[in-house]
Amino acid sequence: MPKSLISIHDLSKEEILHILHTASAFEREPDSSLLRHKVIATLFFEPSTRTRLSFETAANRLSARIIGFTDSGSTSVTKGESIKDTIKTVSNYADLIVIRHPLEGSARYASEVSSVPVINAGDGANQHPSQTLLDMYSILKTQQSLDGLQLTLVGDLKYGRTVHSLLQAMSLFSTRFTFVSPPELAMPLEYKQFLQHRNLSYKESKDLLPHIPEADILYITRVQAERFSEPMEYEKVKNVYSLTASMLHPCKPNLKILHPLPRVNEIALDVDNTPQAYYFEQARNGIYTRMAIMAYLLGLT
Ligand code: CP
């Protein structure tokens, strides 16, 4: 089976650092013919702006060609074709597949039936490992190190696939974690046990403000309407946190605010003009990181 990136656990600490180092090289020199003879398939069964467009930008920067769809309603999935048959077919056409699908485990299954590498671009509430790598690249760029940081994760920690992947990856770097969420959206037990097994400490809180002064990174997430089966449950928690510029005093001089985006109301617009706001640069970092991921999985340096 070719090497795929489905979970952040598919990469060792050395591989993560190698990809971040390569991303830095691509940022310095963003145009390359490294993937000139390659075809990249982007199969998006769920909406996306940043992940799809930055993967496609990354492929274009590396001179690859791109096939794919943004709406499975225009494909033979509507006629009842299975994920298995779809992936087996597309892996005849492309050298690498990027897939986003609402079902947890769908990307792993795709990698098991594919003859080419598969990148999980988000499977339900499970994992989003390329987001994690671009988050780590953003942390490294802004903090000059990944080691020993105070990482405060805020918002939907139950369904937020980006925070699950990020927690697991940053656990390799002696991170101190604080989880800020309403009880309904608390970090699932399995992730807290994961940290306990690694002797890493974490704090949990419903309140954001007391935890801002201690943070190196404030990682804010959206409460995702699409993950709730009961609309009223979403209504109860949808505006639970709203970070404003006035809340950033006091804060550490190195504090940066990250958000995987899209945002709704959880970061007020007045934060955008503060030196702590980093989420749009973070989205830009996705290009270089995804260039590095594709090159690595295709065995090209
Ligand atoms: N961060 C992220 O996954 O954004 P999109 O849903 O726009 O791809």
Side-chain angles (χ1 to χ4, degrees):
M1 226 178 346
K3 185 165 177 67
S4 290
L5 178 59
I6 306 303
S7 156
I8 200 67
H9 289 310
D10 294 334
L11 298 174
S12 66
K13 183 175 179 178
E14 289 68 33
E15 288 176 305
I16 289 173
L17 291 172
H18 170 78
I19 288 171
L20 301 186
H21 180 75
T22 311
S24 177
F26 280 132
E27 182 167 8
R28 288 192 300 275
E29 192 59 62
D31 291 303
S32 158
S33 55
L34 200 61
L35 267 57
R36 192 177 52 213
H37 301 297
K38 302 294 182 188
V39 175
I40 307 297
T42 55
L43 312 185
F44 278 68
F45 294 80
E46 254 194 353
S48 166
T49 298
R50 278 145 293 273
T51 308
R52 185 178 66 81
L53 293 178
S54 64
F55 262 116
E56 294 188 0
T57 305
N60 276 304
R61 290 276 186 207
L62 293 169
S63 310
R65 281 159 289 175
I66 300 159
I67 60 170
F69 54 80
T70 58
D71 175 9
S72 61
S74 66
T75 72
S76 290
V77 170
T78 57
K79 302 173 200 163
E81 187 165 43
S82 64
I83 293 187
K84 180 179 180 181
D85 289 1
T86 304
I87 297 298
K88 284 182 84 71
T89 302
V90 176
S91 61
N92 284 326
Y93 304 152
D95 298 289
L96 183 148
I97 294 173
V98 180
I99 182 170
R100 171 172 286 188
H101 197 285
L103 285 182
E104 293 182 28
S106 51
R108 178 69 68 197
Y109 181 57
S111 73
E112 288 165 1
V113 298
S114 174
S115 57
V116 300
V118 173
I119 299 175
N120 178 8
D123 61 331
N126 189 30
Q127 287 264 330
H128 193 354
S130 69
Q131 177 73 44
T132 297
L133 289 164
L134 81 87
D135 293 342
M136 296 178 86
Y137 184 61
S138 301
I139 294 171
L140 185 58
K141 269 178 74 177
T142 60
Q143 308 294 319
Q144 284 75 52
S145 170
L146 292 170
D147 290 307
L149 297 171
Q150 169 63 49
L151 176 56
T152 301
L153 304 173
V154 183
D156 178 358
L157 308 185
K158 181 177 179 183
Y159 300 113
R161 57 195 174 199
T162 62
V163 291
H164 300 160
S165 304
L166 186 60
L167 175 151
Q168 291 172 329
M170 288 302 290
S171 73
L172 299 169
F173 297 91
S174 307
T175 303
R176 285 167 284 120
F177 294 93
T178 299
F179 304 142
V180 178
S181 72
E184 301 92 316
L185 297 177
M187 184 62 77
L189 184 61
E190 64 182 282
Y191 294 102
K192 292 188 273 192
Q193 287 175 337
F194 174 88
L195 294 180
Q196 285 161 7
H197 288 146
R198 283 155 185 78
N199 291 322
L200 290 171
S201 66
Y202 62 84
K203 290 188 283 188
E204 290 189 281
S205 174
K206 293 197 299 284
D207 302 314
L208 172 57
L209 200 56
H211 299 288
I212 292 176
E214 69 198 18
D216 296 307
I217 295 289
L218 209 49
Y219 192 95
I220 314 274
T221 61
R222 174 176 64 97
V223 177
Q224 304 168 89
E226 64 271 30
R227 307 277 174 242
F228 286 78
S229 50
E230 292 296 326
M232 272 316 295
E233 295 303 309
Y234 170 68
E235 286 299 316
K236 277 189 227 165
V237 290
K238 68 177 186 186
N239 290 325
V240 66
Y241 303 111
S242 183
L243 182 71
T244 61
S246 64
M247 294 165 69
L248 297 173
H249 306 286
C251 71
K252 285 186 171 178
N254 57 311
L255 172 68
K256 290 294 175 202
I257 300 162
L258 271 59
H259 190 311
L261 302 176
R263 72 171 150 183
V264 185
N265 295 318
E266 58 279 6
I267 300 180
L269 295 180
D270 68 354
V271 178
D272 295 0
N273 298 323
T274 67
Q276 289 81 28
Y278 194 73
Y279 25 93
F280 291 110
E281 290 93 333
Q282 178 189 358
R284 180 183 179 84
N285 290 336
I287 300 169
Y288 315 120
T289 313
R290 287 171 171 136
M291 290 170 82
I293 295 168
M294 289 192 288
Y296 182 66
L297 293 182
L298 289 169
L300 300 167
T301 53

